[in-house]
Structures are given as structure tokens and as C-alpha cells.
Amino acid sequence: MLEEAETFYASAPQELTPWLAGLGLAQTIAGADAHAGPAMIVHPADGQTLLAYPDADLRHVHDAVAAAAGAFPDWSSTSWDERRVLLERFADALWEHRQTLTYLVAAETGRPLRRAFSEIFFSVDYVRTIAAQHLAEVDYSRAGIRARLVHRPLGVAVAIAPWNGPVILAVAKLANALLAGDTLVLRPAPQTPLSALYLGMLGRDIFPAGVLNVVTGDAAVGAALVEHPDVAKISFTGSTDTGRKIAAAAAPGLKRLTLELGGNDAAIVLADADPEAVANAVYRISLENAGQFCAAIKRLYVHESLYDEVRDRVCAMAQTAVAGSAFDPASTLAPLQSAAQRARVQGFVDDAVGRGASVIGPALEGGGEGFFLPPVLVEGCQADFAIVAEEQFGPALPIMAFTDEAEVLAAANANQYGLGGSVWSSDVERAIAIAEKMRCGTAWVNQHGAFSAALPMPFAGQSGIGMDYAHFGVAEHSRAMLINAKL
Ligand code: NAD
């Protein structure tokens, strides 16, 4: 199915700006266009300004929350099945519009079109999977008492998304909120508003007016939504620093929070691991996507007996990277999302090199004015180097040799984050035993970053609060209520 992307290249828009203008993208408030703005968006693969898009001001924040609050009584009175059917129709609409959505994600992220399509493909699956979830009632009845724990919607939910998964993170939040019976204001990242604006427009034909609202805007708009007194729930994905600010802003109203934050995932490669599988995961999941995945491998610990082979295999794959237009079938490498993000990642590399580390990888050709960096490994890092201790979110991965299992486990766990981690070995039972000692939300064995809407996504440490996916994301958009009757 993913091969279908290859057929999208030939019909891709030749000129992005007029094509985008022709889509008539607008914010969605109360089921209608809400024009505003304009703000500018840059295409990361060539650094050129794409177009002006409608940008919210504080008036739109109030209008959107008012529309969502107005729609809540009717929407929350619909049955679970009615809401499930509408979400399935929304998934059908995403699939029907997959080509346009793919072009929008490629335009706003600069990622190769086939990678943009895989986000749309999995987004459709996420909506269908979440739509199939149920929240079970729990019966606590005993002699003379009938007591049931039921689930009720919360009210107006706000979804604040980052730029690194503009569709999948938006639709997962949307599906959780709407299935639970909440109404929603979705606010995408200012770097990637286009696909979210389109999602809002698709939703107008499916959901009653006011159930799904989409407003754009900068961090001030995000903050105003979080602080709004009529908002009951905030679902945020982004950095740990911003997560802290959101938690503080939500505190006075004791708003319900789901925070999916940063990660600094360690991969521990034991001496008996398959070096080809490791190199493949490191390159495809972390480096080729410019490291812009919350659960990318961000620290690579390799047993000294396998170190050279893993390093050389990753470097050989990195040599194949082609930087160029997202719409050129030859391009394989994702650019950084912005010049600021590229400068930030380069800063981590420069700092490590300044302290004695060395960079191994290709000198990138092509890419023009795009925000590309070459996909590299960084050798000779110490635990206190910023590129090891912090989340680099870029295509520069520290690789470190180890001999002692206990020491490497301690090093992997000595980090403020706790999103994911992995252990690689041909002895799966041994790897599981080590994985169980990792301090993270998901510990993978012989894979990394494998998410599914059918599986919960827990967090440890500073990587988040709450849990999304499976039935947990829907539960987090609901409140529990006990009905306790004396018979
Ligand atoms: P960011 O924290 O800079 O921004 C995230 C969103 O918050 C953006 O839309 C931004 O405009 C908005 N925002 C900023 N300040 C705000 C405020 N005070 N109030 C409300 N909204 C505000 O993160 P980013 O750079 O866009 O995304 C990358 C980060 O996201 C990385 O740390 C990555 O690990 C994390 N992430 C985590 C997950 C996960 O599931 N845990 C998934 C994807 C990305």
C-alpha cells in the first residue's frame, strides 16, 4: 500500500504557491471559514517562503472556544456508536484525500513525498483504531447497593501539536477527544499549519458545526487556549520545556492534561545483536528523518565487539542520502524543520567536536538553500556532553562503546527523559530481561520507535504525563463517575 506514493510524484503540483492558494485554506470555527492573518510559511527543503496562511488572533481563540462550548451539549449527548461512525467517515475522508494531504505535509515539512505519505497512511489507521475503542463500565455492586463506574465527557478540549507529525498527532488527539464526547479546538504548530487547516475543512462535512475547530497562530495563541477558562482538557505534544509552561498555565483551573514531551532514547546493542538490523533502524528511524521523531534513537550504545561494524554500516547507509526537493523521487533525506532548528542541532555537534568528539558521515551534496544537515554519527562523546545529555532532535547521533552491561544500563537510565529505549540481541529473553530494567515508557527489543494506536504509550521521567492510545487516550478525555444507589 505504501508503494502508492510512487504514483503521486508524477502528478505533484509544479508550483506550490498557486496550488496552495487554490485550496482556499482557512481556519474552521463553528463549521465555517474564519479568515485572518496572514502569516508566512517556509518550505524547509528549499528555504523559500511558500505562501501566506490564515493566522489566528485572540478573537479567534475566543470564537473557537465559544463554538466548541456551544456544540458540547448536543455532541456529548450523542451515543458512543454515533460518534464512532462519524470518526470512521472522517477516516474515509482522510483516505479519499490522501494525495492532497501528502502534498501538504511534503510542502510544510519538506520531507520526501513518500515519507509524507506514510504519515497519512498511518494517520488513517490511527483514526480507525481509536474509533474502535470502548471504555468499559465497572460494576461495584454488592448486597443492597448498585454501584457503577461510568465515563462522561469533559467538555471543550484543546489539542496543541508540534511540527514533526502534523497530521498523525493532530488526528490522534482529534479521535480521542471526539470519541469521548468532547468538542475540540485544534491548534497546529505555526511551522506546519497547512495540513491541519485542511483537516478542519474535511471535518465540516462530517461533524456538527463547532465540534471540530481549527485555529492557527503562534505560541501566544497556544497559551491563550491553555489559559481559557472554558477549556476543560489540554492534550499537548511538544518539548518538555513547553510542557512545563502548559502545566503551570493549566494549574489554576486544574485542567486535565495529557503531556507527550521530549525523549532521549537509548539503544543498547549487545554483542550478539544483528548489526544489519541495528544499522537499518538507526539510519531509517533516526538519521534519514533528520532525527525529528520523539522516539528516534538519540543515544547509541554498542558493545565494543560490534562497535566498528555497526558504525561502518550506519555510515555506509548515510552515504546514500540524497538531499533535495520533497517532490523529487530521488530525494531520501528530510531537512530540519527550520533554520533555527538546524542551528540548534549544529550547536550540539560543534560543542561535542569542541570537546574532542569527531563526526563520521557524508559531506552532503545538493539540498540548495534547504535546511539540511548531513546524517552523521558522533564518536568520542562523554555522558555530560550536551548531545548525549539533552534531546538533539536532529541527524547527529552519539555512538558509544561499552563492555559492561550493568554500566551501560546505568548510563542509559541516567537521563531526565523516559520516552523509549531498546535492547538488541539474538537472545530475545536476555534482551527482555535487560529491557525490563530500562527507565522508560516503552522498552523495545530488536526494534525501536514501533508505535501503534492499538498499543498504549506510557511515559517515565520528564517525557510526559498521562497515556495515549489503546483505550487510554479516550479515557484521558473523559471523567470517571460513580453512580452509587442504595437499593
Ligand atoms: P515545542 O514545545 O517548541 O512546541 C510545541 C507546540 O507548542 C507548538 O505548537 C508551539 O507553538 C506550542 N507552544 C509553544 N509555547 C506554548 C505555550 N506557552 N503555550 C501553549 N502552546 C505553546 O515543540 P516542537 O519543537 O514543536 O516539537 C518537538 C518536540 O516535541 C520534541 O521535544 C519532541 O520530542 C516532542 N514530541 C514528543 C512526542 C511524544 O509523543 N512524546 C511526539 C512528537 C514530538
Short mmCIF file of all heavy atoms in Angstrom, two decimals, residues 42 52 64 132 135 137 139 180 182 234 240 255-256 271 329 369 374 382 447 483:
data_model
loop_
_atom_site.label_atom_id
_atom_site.label_comp_id
_atom_site.label_asym_id
_atom_site.label_seq_id
_atom_site.Cartn_x
_atom_site.Cartn_y
_atom_site.Cartn_z
N VAL A 42 7.40 28.70 5.49
CA VAL A 42 8.60 28.45 4.69
C VAL A 42 8.67 26.96 4.35
O VAL A 42 8.34 26.11 5.18
CB VAL A 42 9.85 28.88 5.49
CG1 VAL A 42 11.13 28.38 4.86
CG2 VAL A 42 9.87 30.39 5.64
N ALA A 52 1.19 32.90 2.24
CA ALA A 52 0.61 33.44 3.46
C ALA A 52 -0.54 32.52 3.84
O ALA A 52 -1.34 32.14 3.00
CB ALA A 52 0.10 34.84 3.18
N ALA A 64 -13.45 30.30 18.78
CA ALA A 64 -13.33 28.84 18.63
C ALA A 64 -13.76 28.13 19.91
O ALA A 64 -14.48 27.12 19.87
CB ALA A 64 -11.89 28.47 18.27
N ALA A 132 -12.46 2.45 17.20
CA ALA A 132 -12.94 1.13 17.63
C ALA A 132 -12.79 0.90 19.14
O ALA A 132 -13.16 -0.16 19.64
CB ALA A 132 -12.17 0.04 16.87
N LEU A 135 -14.79 2.25 26.36
CA LEU A 135 -14.48 2.39 27.78
C LEU A 135 -15.47 1.55 28.55
O LEU A 135 -16.68 1.80 28.49
CB LEU A 135 -14.59 3.86 28.21
CG LEU A 135 -13.54 4.81 27.63
CD1 LEU A 135 -13.75 6.21 28.18
CD2 LEU A 135 -12.12 4.33 27.94
N GLU A 137 -17.65 0.04 31.50
CA GLU A 137 -18.18 0.40 32.82
C GLU A 137 -17.70 -0.65 33.82
O GLU A 137 -17.46 -1.80 33.44
CB GLU A 137 -19.71 0.38 32.80
CG GLU A 137 -20.30 1.51 31.98
CD GLU A 137 -21.82 1.59 32.13
OE1 GLU A 137 -22.40 0.87 32.99
OE2 GLU A 137 -22.40 2.36 31.37
N ASP A 139 -18.64 -2.55 37.41
CA ASP A 139 -19.74 -2.79 38.34
C ASP A 139 -19.18 -3.07 39.74
O ASP A 139 -18.44 -4.04 39.93
CB ASP A 139 -20.55 -3.99 37.83
CG ASP A 139 -21.84 -4.16 38.61
OD1 ASP A 139 -22.00 -3.46 39.63
OD2 ASP A 139 -22.67 -4.98 38.20
N ALA A 180 -14.66 10.41 22.84
CA ALA A 180 -15.06 10.53 24.26
C ALA A 180 -16.29 11.40 24.43
O ALA A 180 -16.95 11.35 25.47
CB ALA A 180 -13.90 11.09 25.07
N ASP A 182 -16.04 14.86 23.85
CA ASP A 182 -15.58 16.25 24.00
C ASP A 182 -15.66 16.95 22.64
O ASP A 182 -15.63 16.30 21.59
CB ASP A 182 -14.10 16.28 24.45
CG ASP A 182 -13.91 15.73 25.86
OD1 ASP A 182 -14.92 15.54 26.56
OD2 ASP A 182 -12.76 15.48 26.23
N ILE A 234 -6.50 19.67 28.11
CA ILE A 234 -5.45 20.04 27.16
C ILE A 234 -4.65 18.79 26.81
O ILE A 234 -4.18 18.07 27.70
CB ILE A 234 -4.50 21.09 27.77
CG1 ILE A 234 -5.30 22.38 28.04
CG2 ILE A 234 -3.34 21.40 26.84
CD1 ILE A 234 -4.85 23.09 29.25
N THR A 240 9.63 19.26 26.39
CA THR A 240 9.44 19.22 27.84
C THR A 240 9.38 20.64 28.42
O THR A 240 8.57 20.91 29.31
CB THR A 240 10.57 18.39 28.48
OG1 THR A 240 10.42 17.05 27.99
CG2 THR A 240 10.50 18.37 29.99
N LYS A 255 -6.99 22.04 35.08
CA LYS A 255 -7.44 21.41 33.83
C LYS A 255 -6.78 20.06 33.67
O LYS A 255 -5.63 19.86 34.05
CB LYS A 255 -7.09 22.32 32.66
CG LYS A 255 -7.92 23.58 32.70
CD LYS A 255 -7.48 24.60 31.69
CE LYS A 255 -8.34 25.84 31.87
NZ LYS A 255 -7.76 27.03 31.28
N ARG A 256 -7.53 19.13 33.09
CA ARG A 256 -6.96 17.81 32.82
C ARG A 256 -5.87 17.95 31.75
O ARG A 256 -6.04 18.71 30.79
CB ARG A 256 -8.02 16.84 32.32
CG ARG A 256 -9.20 16.67 33.23
CD ARG A 256 -8.79 15.99 34.53
NE ARG A 256 -9.91 15.41 35.21
CZ ARG A 256 -10.77 16.06 35.99
NH1 ARG A 256 -10.62 17.36 36.17
NH2 ARG A 256 -11.78 15.44 36.57
N ALA A 271 26.45 -7.76 22.27
CA ALA A 271 27.48 -8.33 21.38
C ALA A 271 26.88 -9.30 20.36
O ALA A 271 27.43 -9.47 19.26
CB ALA A 271 28.52 -9.06 22.23
N PRO A 329 11.58 12.29 -6.79
CA PRO A 329 11.62 10.90 -6.33
C PRO A 329 13.01 10.46 -5.88
O PRO A 329 13.15 9.50 -5.12
CB PRO A 329 11.16 10.08 -7.54
CG PRO A 329 10.79 11.04 -8.60
CD PRO A 329 11.06 12.45 -8.15
N GLU A 369 19.28 25.67 -0.78
CA GLU A 369 19.04 26.55 0.36
C GLU A 369 18.19 25.89 1.43
O GLU A 369 17.76 26.52 2.38
CB GLU A 369 18.33 27.84 -0.10
CG GLU A 369 19.11 28.65 -1.13
CD GLU A 369 20.45 29.10 -0.58
OE1 GLU A 369 20.46 29.72 0.49
OE2 GLU A 369 21.47 28.79 -1.21
N PRO A 374 23.93 16.94 7.17
CA PRO A 374 24.28 15.56 6.82
C PRO A 374 23.96 14.60 7.97
O PRO A 374 24.09 14.99 9.14
CB PRO A 374 25.78 15.63 6.57
CG PRO A 374 26.25 16.88 7.21
CD PRO A 374 25.09 17.83 7.25
N GLN A 382 31.30 12.07 25.81
CA GLN A 382 31.16 11.70 27.23
C GLN A 382 29.72 11.95 27.66
O GLN A 382 28.99 12.71 27.01
CB GLN A 382 32.10 12.55 28.10
CG GLN A 382 33.57 12.45 27.73
CD GLN A 382 34.12 11.04 27.89
OE1 GLN A 382 33.75 10.33 28.81
NE2 GLN A 382 34.99 10.63 26.96
N GLN A 447 13.77 -3.78 17.94
CA GLN A 447 13.05 -2.77 17.16
C GLN A 447 13.09 -1.50 17.98
O GLN A 447 13.44 -1.52 19.16
CB GLN A 447 11.61 -3.20 16.87
CG GLN A 447 10.80 -3.50 18.12
CD GLN A 447 9.34 -3.83 17.82
OE1 GLN A 447 8.88 -3.68 16.70
NE2 GLN A 447 8.62 -4.27 18.84
N ILE A 483 -21.89 5.96 40.12
CA ILE A 483 -23.32 6.06 40.46
C ILE A 483 -23.57 4.99 41.51
O ILE A 483 -23.40 3.79 41.23
CB ILE A 483 -24.18 5.88 39.20
CG1 ILE A 483 -23.80 6.97 38.19
CG2 ILE A 483 -25.66 5.94 39.55
CD1 ILE A 483 -24.23 6.70 36.80
#
